[in-house]
């Protein structure tokens, strides 16, 4: 999903745009199946894939073949057929992800292997043993129960047995209509697919539990998207991502049994089907938590409680990992929460650049429900909804107690452990460490520090060298990663028309009930704060800002040095400790993340026919902790890519851009993902 520059030099694209009917739409589901993918095959590079589709044998499959979007009662899956694309071709593939399936790097004709991947992983042809199906689930979206959702654009192909017989579910995202497509067309476009493909792999190589992405395949088929909702739609290329995970079952999978919601009136499609809930619990626990199944095989309540405790702890650790790399998911609905504790469904996500605890990566999250600092509590809230969905197989009084006892403690423990590693506090665990972390983040906030680059720089901070000039040099490096006056002006620019703000303030006083329907006090207060900060910035010079930032950082570095000194005093070999400290910090503080502007540059090149930048960024993200500024070994010649002159020019521009580890350019601060 690409981002849109709302007020700068370019206007690429918003994300998750409202679906529209386009040339790629296949009509009713029945028609899609009749005109679907070609018969099974796969005798070349992909012929080695071994399918064993346990989920379809273990869970109820919809018997109906009725066409079109519809309710799917009494089933976890509906059989579907991918809709073919015109001239599918490979944008990029992740060999580390495909290795999970037993696919090694093509030994012979790479071009033939890429063509085969494009044919099968576009959905144009089915692999022998695959059984395409769409999964039924519900979800609480932005806090409200939405009823049946399901795989509206994704298709389960089957489960592939890996080299050690481990089981991997593979999905095609963007392969066409399913019974869950609602008013959409079941397609994804190039910009959204590139973002999901790259971020899935980036998260894995950062060490964060995630679904994987094997390939990204685009085509000449087009769908219409009104990118800016301004009545000016445009054609975009249909694109498909191959997703890989142990399972794509999510919290919302258990919400299909929900009776009518007291607020929205919506209900799940399988109300009163506790027999299916039992089937799902048996399948999920025996398949993905076998040690729990074995330990509690004779007591289902204890077994289910142990399962809920484990997913509670996994989720707490997962969100702690997100917080420690500045990752914002953007749409933490219950249908986007993995039942095995993975990061799942990459939509309007974003990695923070300038540290802001209230950072909102999703431009359509008007209330900030899924802001960076809200993620831990939202994930806990979602676990509460999972607990409700497991009743009566797990009584609520048991699950609620588990949630209260386990979640916060696990999150705080894992978060502080990770932060200690990021700060090189490897010898001692002191109570004061939590305060040191909080003060670091507050200093970042006050100075507009770049979250990733500040942490990366700290490993070069000298503990024993008290030379004032060295400290001054380090302060210069740190402050170079802080926001400029111009960047702060963009960040604090008022977002409401003064007349609108005045009206809202008067309404809040005169008619609080009406005001509550159209705004919140928090939003108004935030806008007033923006106005105040923006006004102050008009008088601030760069020299004044630099002086202020140096003062803030010097104060925190003194505390950091004192804490590191305690580490040194506890060891016998200070040099060995120092070497180990730097090693630990450099393996926990990435140099490269998938910043929005990096993804945007890759998307723009790809939309012009040059896929080399997508491949280059992918390769870079496979080694996020290593120095690789001159990384160019996957740049192909433009003619070999079949690129046009315009594409070649675009690729040349990409090559001349900032190093991938740079603080983002000013235009990037106005990219809006929604």
């Amino acid at each position: 999903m690409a981002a849109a520059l709302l007020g700068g030099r370019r206007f690429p694209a918003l994300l998750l745009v409202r679906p529209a009917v386009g040339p790629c739409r296949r009509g009713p589901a029945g028609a899609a199946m009749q005109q679907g993918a070609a018969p099974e095959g796969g005798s070349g590079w992909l012929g080695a894939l071994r399918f064993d589709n346990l989920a379809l044998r273990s869970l109820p499959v919809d018997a109906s073949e009725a066409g079109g979007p519809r309710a799917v009662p009494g089933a976890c899956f509906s059989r579907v057929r991918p809709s073919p694309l015109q001239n599918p071709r490979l944008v990029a593939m992740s060999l580390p992800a495909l290795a999970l399936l037993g696919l090694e790097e093509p030994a012979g004709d790479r071009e033939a292997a890429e063509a085969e991947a494009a044919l099968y992983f576009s959905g144009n042809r089915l692999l022998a043993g695959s059984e395409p199906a769409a999964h039924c689930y519900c979800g609480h979206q932005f806090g409200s129960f939405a009823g049946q959702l399901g795989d509206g654009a994704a298709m389960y192909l089957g489960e592939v047995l890996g080299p050690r017989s481990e089981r991997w579910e593979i999905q095609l995202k963007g392969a066409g209509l399913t019974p869950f497509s609602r008013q959409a067309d079941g397609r994804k476009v190039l910009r959204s697919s590139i973002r999901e493909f790259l971020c899935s792999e980036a998260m894995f190589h950062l060490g964060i539990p995630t679904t994987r992405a094997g390939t990204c395949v685009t085509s000449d088929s087009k769908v219409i998207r009104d990118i800016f909702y301004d009545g000016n739609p445009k054609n975009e290329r249909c694109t498909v991502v191959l997703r890989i995970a142990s399972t794509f079952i999510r919290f919302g999978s258990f919400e299909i049994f929900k009776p009518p919601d007291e607020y929205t009136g919506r209900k799940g499609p399988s109300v009163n089907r506790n027999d299916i809930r039992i089937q799902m619990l048996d399948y999920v626990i025996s398949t993905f938590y076998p040690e729990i199944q074995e330990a509690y095989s004779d007591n289902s309540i204890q077994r289910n409680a142990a399962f809920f405790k484990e997913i509670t702890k996994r989720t707490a650790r997962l969100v702690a990992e997100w917080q420690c790399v500045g990752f914002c998911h953007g749409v933490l609905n219950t249908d986007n929460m993995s039942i095995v504790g993975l990061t799942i469904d990459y939509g309007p996500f974003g990695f923070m650049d300038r540290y802001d605890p209230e950072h909102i990566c999703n431009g359509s999250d008007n209330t900030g429900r899924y802001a960076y600092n809200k993620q831990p509590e939202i994930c806990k809230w979602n676990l509460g909804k999972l607990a409700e969905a497991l009743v009566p197989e797990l009584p609520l009084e048991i699950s609620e107690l588990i949630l209260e006892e386990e979640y916060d403690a696990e999150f705080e423990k894992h978060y502080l452990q990770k932060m200690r590693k990021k700060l090189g506090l490897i010898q001692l665990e002191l109570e004061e460490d939590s305060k040191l972390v909080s003060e670091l983040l507050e200093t970042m906030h006050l100075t507009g520090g770049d979250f990733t680059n500040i942490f990366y720089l700290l490993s070069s901070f000298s503990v024993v060298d008290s030379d004032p000039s060295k400290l001054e040099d380090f302060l210069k490096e740190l402050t170079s990663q802080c926001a400029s006056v111009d960047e702060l002006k963009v960040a604090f620019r008022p977002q409401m028309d003064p007349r609108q703000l005045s009206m809202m303030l008067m309404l809040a006083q005169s008619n609080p009930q009406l005001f509550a329907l159209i705004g919140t006090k928090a939003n108004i207060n935030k806008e007033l704060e923006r106005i105040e900060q923006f006004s102050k910035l008009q008088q601030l010079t760069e020299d004044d800002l630099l002086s202020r930032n140096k003062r803030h950082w010097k104060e925190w570095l003194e505390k950091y040095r004192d804490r590191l000194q305690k580490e040194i005093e506890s060891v016998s070999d200070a040099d060995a400790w120092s070497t180990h400290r730097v090693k630990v910090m450099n393996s926990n503080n990435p140099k490269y993340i998938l910043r929005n502007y990096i993804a945007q540059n890759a998307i723009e090149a790809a939309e012009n026919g040059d896929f080399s930048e997508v491949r280059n960024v992918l390769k870079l993200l496979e080694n996020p902790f290593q120095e690789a500024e001159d990384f160019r070994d996957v740049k192909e010649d433009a003619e070999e890519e079949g690129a046009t002159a315009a594409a070649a020019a675009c690729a040349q521009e990409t090559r001349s851009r900032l190093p991938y580890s740079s603080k983002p350019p000013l235009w990037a601060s106005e990219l809006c993902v929604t």
Side-chain angles (χ1 to χ4, degrees):
M1 296 178 183
L5 186 61
L6 296 183
R9 64 176 178 85
R10 63 168 99 186
F11 295 84
L14 285 171
L15 304 186
L16 296 182
V17 294
R18 184 181 294 111
V21 178
C24 200
R25 189 173 179 121
R26 302 299 303 172
M33 292 184 69
Q34 292 170 12
Q35 302 172 37
E40 296 179 353
S43 58
W45 182 49
L46 302 180
L49 294 178
R50 298 178 297 143
F51 282 88
D52 181 37
N53 305 326
L54 179 63
L56 297 187
R57 297 199 302 273
S58 304
L59 299 172
V61 179
D62 180 24
S64 172
E65 295 185 4
R70 56 188 170 82
V72 180
C76 295
F77 289 94
S78 293
R79 296 192 184 276
V80 293
R81 195 82 170 183
S83 302
L85 295 173
Q86 298 172 18
N87 189 27
R89 53 196 177 279
L90 188 73
V91 176
M93 64 180 172
S94 168
L95 291 172
L98 293 173
L100 297 172
L101 310 179
L103 294 175
E104 299 179 356
E105 184 170 2
D109 188 344
R110 186 183 179 94
E111 189 174 325
E114 291 191 0
E116 185 183 5
L119 183 65
Y120 286 95
F121 295 146
S122 63
N124 276 28
R125 187 171 295 177
L126 293 179
L127 290 158
S130 65
E131 298 180 78
H135 178 45
C136 181
Y137 53 82
C138 293
H140 281 78
Q141 299 193 318
F142 287 87
S144 298
F145 186 64
Q148 177 180 291
L149 298 170
D151 287 335
M155 294 184 187
Y156 163 104
L157 285 186
E159 295 154 69
V160 173
L161 298 179
R164 292 174 295 280
S165 295
E166 66 276 24
R167 186 180 301 275
W168 298 102
E169 178 181 333
I170 62 173
Q171 272 193 356
L172 296 182
K173 184 171 181 178
L177 282 171
T178 78
F180 311 106
S181 296
R182 291 171 285 170
Q183 290 79 41
D185 53 24
R187 291 302 191 187
K188 296 297 176 182
V189 295
L190 187 60
R191 53 193 163 82
S192 62
S193 301
I194 286 173
R195 278 176 53 91
E196 170 142 13
F197 175 78
L198 289 175
C199 198
S200 300
E201 292 306 281
M203 292 289 273
F204 171 76
H205 292 287
L206 286 170
I208 299 173
T210 180
T211 59
R212 304 292 298 276
T215 59
C216 179
V217 176
T218 195
S219 70
D220 289 338
S221 297
K222 303 289 180 66
V223 283
I224 297 174
R225 295 291 189 256
D226 187 352
I227 300 168
F228 296 102
Y229 307 118
D230 60 359
N232 294 297
K234 70 175 238 183
N235 284 316
E236 297 194 64
R237 295 185 183 279
C238 294
T239 306
V240 178
V241 173
L242 175 72
R243 304 202 300 183
I244 304 168
S246 56
T247 181
F248 285 89
I249 292 177
R250 64 263 331 265
F251 290 9
S253 303
F254 286 90
E255 292 188 290
I256 63 174
F257 315 107
K258 183 175 173 58
D261 184 77
E262 62 178 311
Y263 300 108
T264 66
R266 298 189 181 100
K267 63 180 181 179
S270 297
V271 179
N272 297 325
R273 291 299 305 270
N274 194 52
D275 58 317
I276 299 178
R277 180 172 14 231
I278 292 171
Q279 275 185 273
M280 288 180 65
L281 280 166
D282 289 347
Y283 168 72
V284 166
I285 296 172
S286 63
T287 306
F288 308 110
Y289 299 86
E291 67 288 348
I292 291 176
Q293 178 66 36
E294 185 176 348
Y296 301 99
S297 58
D298 58 348
N299 189 315
S300 65
I301 296 293
Q302 289 184 357
R303 181 200 69 169
N304 296 344
F307 154 67
F308 185 74
K309 179 178 179 179
E310 179 60 23
I311 188 55
T312 293
K313 295 176 78 168
R314 286 191 191 187
T315 302
R317 292 193 295 268
L318 176 67
V319 70
E321 291 281 347
W322 293 349
Q323 301 304 98
C324 288
V325 294
F327 174 78
C328 299
H329 184 282
V331 198
L332 282 174
N333 302 325
T334 56
D335 53 292
N336 293 334
M337 299 287 296
S338 164
I339 204 67
V340 291
L342 305 176
T343 314
I344 189 173
D345 290 345
Y346 292 93
F349 69 85
F351 286 88
M352 265 195 307
D353 296 318
R354 177 181 60 86
Y355 177 73
D356 175 6
E358 297 180 348
H359 175 69
I360 301 168
C361 65
N362 179 357
S364 57
D365 183 6
N366 297 321
T367 64
R369 177 180 176 85
Y370 299 142
Y372 168 77
N373 61 353
K374 299 282 185 64
Q375 292 187 135
E377 65 184 84
I378 285 296
C379 287
K380 184 178 181 181
W381 188 90
N382 288 340
L383 281 161
K385 292 302 170 186
L386 174 62
E388 293 175 10
L390 297 180
V391 176
E393 294 311 302
L394 179 61
L396 205 54
E397 58 268 23
I398 296 177
S399 55
E400 286 181 338
L401 183 61
I402 290 171
L403 188 55
E404 288 307 312
E405 288 182 345
E406 300 293 339
Y407 183 83
D408 292 334
E410 188 71 14
F411 172 81
E412 294 295 341
K413 174 186 171 186
H414 195 79
Y415 177 79
L416 191 53
Q417 284 177 341
K418 186 72 175 181
M419 280 295 184
R420 283 191 177 110
K421 291 176 181 177
K422 289 173 76 71
L423 291 177
L425 308 180
I426 56 177
Q427 196 67 26
L428 305 172
E429 294 185 359
L430 305 180
E431 285 188 19
E432 66 195 55
D433 293 346
S434 181
K435 184 180 179 183
L436 184 69
V437 171
S438 297
E439 290 174 339
L440 167 61
L441 296 178
E442 178 60 21
T443 304
M444 274 194 206
H445 192 205
L446 288 170
T447 61
D450 185 274
F451 185 84
T452 300
N453 289 355
I454 293 289
F455 270 113
Y456 188 80
L457 276 174
L458 288 177
S459 65
S460 59
F461 177 61
S462 176
V463 187
V464 293
D465 193 340
S466 57
D467 183 347
S469 65
K470 295 284 182 65
L471 177 61
E472 191 62 28
D473 289 343
F474 188 72
L475 283 170
K476 186 176 180 181
E477 280 194 85
L478 275 183
T479 53
S480 72
Q481 298 304 321
C482 296
S484 66
V485 172
D486 285 341
E487 288 168 334
L488 292 174
K489 285 179 179 178
V490 171
F492 289 103
R493 185 170 55 204
Q495 296 179 2
M496 294 175 68
D497 183 280
R499 291 168 297 181
Q500 180 189 6
L501 178 60
S502 178
M503 183 197 74
M504 295 288 282
L505 288 169
M506 287 190 293
L507 194 61
Q509 294 293 324
S510 61
N511 194 335
Q513 290 80 13
L514 180 58
F515 171 77
L517 295 174
I518 59 176
T520 66
K521 288 184 178 179
N523 282 352
I524 295 299
N525 289 336
K526 194 163 188 178
E527 182 66 10
L528 292 172
E529 181 185 337
R530 277 195 207 97
I531 292 170
E532 181 183 358
Q533 292 289 342
F534 190 74
S535 177
K536 289 179 179 178
L537 287 168
Q538 307 311 307
Q539 314 302 322
L540 187 66
T541 67
E542 288 289 355
D543 286 343
D544 290 339
L545 180 63
L546 179 60
S547 176
R548 188 177 75 184
N549 288 348
K550 280 187 175 180
R551 184 176 71 252
H552 286 310
W553 279 111
K554 192 171 184 180
E555 289 172 2
W556 183 81
L557 286 173
E558 288 174 0
K559 298 172 185 176
Y560 184 41
R561 176 171 277 160
D562 289 344
R563 175 62 181 85
L564 291 175
Q565 194 61 43
K566 293 177 182 177
E567 294 270 304
I568 293 175
E569 291 169 0
S570 70
V571 300
S572 57
D573 188 338
D575 289 339
W577 167 85
S578 181
T579 300
H580 185 49
R581 166 185 167 254
V582 171
K583 183 178 179 180
V584 169
M585 292 180 75
N586 286 345
S587 61
N588 283 276
N589 293 315
K591 187 176 181 66
Y592 308 105
I593 56 170
L594 184 61
R595 298 180 188 265
N596 273 342
Y597 87 94
I598 292 175
Q600 186 60 37
N601 286 337
I603 288 163
E604 289 183 3
E607 287 181 333
N608 282 298
D610 177 12
F611 304 148
S612 64
E613 183 64 6
V614 176
R615 299 179 183 193
N616 193 48
V617 171
L618 173 65
K619 205 71 178 173
L620 187 86
L621 295 172
E622 289 175 356
N623 297 281
F625 303 102
Q626 297 179 12
E627 180 75 36
E629 289 295 4
D630 296 321
F631 201 89
R632 290 290 179 268
D633 67 340
V634 295
K635 286 288 183 187
E636 283 95 5
D637 181 84
E639 291 182 4
E640 291 179 4
E641 284 290 320
T644 63
C650 182
Q652 183 58 44
E653 180 190 352
T654 299
R655 278 189 278 269
S656 65
R657 286 177 177 138
L658 293 171
Y660 293 110
S661 62
S662 289
K663 194 177 67 163
L666 184 59
W667 61 262
S669 63
E670 298 194 34
L671 288 171
C672 179
V673 184
T674 185

